[in-house]
Amino acid sequence: MLLVVTAGESGAEDATANLMAPIVLDQRSRRAVQLILSHGGLPVRQKLLVA
């Protein structure tokens, strides 16, 4: 499983990860799909670093 991470404009403290749509990877076939978890209540922009 992979997450899409967006770099922040001011540096690492502004970076976010998309938890609502992770990328699921099949290691045997080397195929991937982005799975949208619409009913999980997960954020599209979750801050990576929390102060």
Side-chain angles (χ1 to χ4, degrees), residues 15-47:
T16 60
N18 181 347
L19 300 181
M20 185 183 286
I23 298 170
V24 181
L25 190 61
D26 184 333
Q27 291 182 337
R28 286 189 212 155
S29 68
R30 302 186 82 181
R31 298 180 85 190
V33 63
Q34 189 169 20
L35 181 65
I36 299 172
L37 306 171
S38 59
H39 298 296
L42 297 168
V44 174
R45 291 185 181 100
Q46 174 64 50
K47 285 193 164 243

Side-chain angles (χ1 to χ4, degrees), residues 1-2 4 6 8 10 14 17 27-29 34 39 42 49-50:
M1 190 167 297
L2 304 170
V4 176
T6 303
S10 300
D14 292 332
Q27 291 182 337
R28 286 189 212 155
S29 68
Q34 189 169 20
H39 298 296
L42 297 168
L49 301 175
V50 179

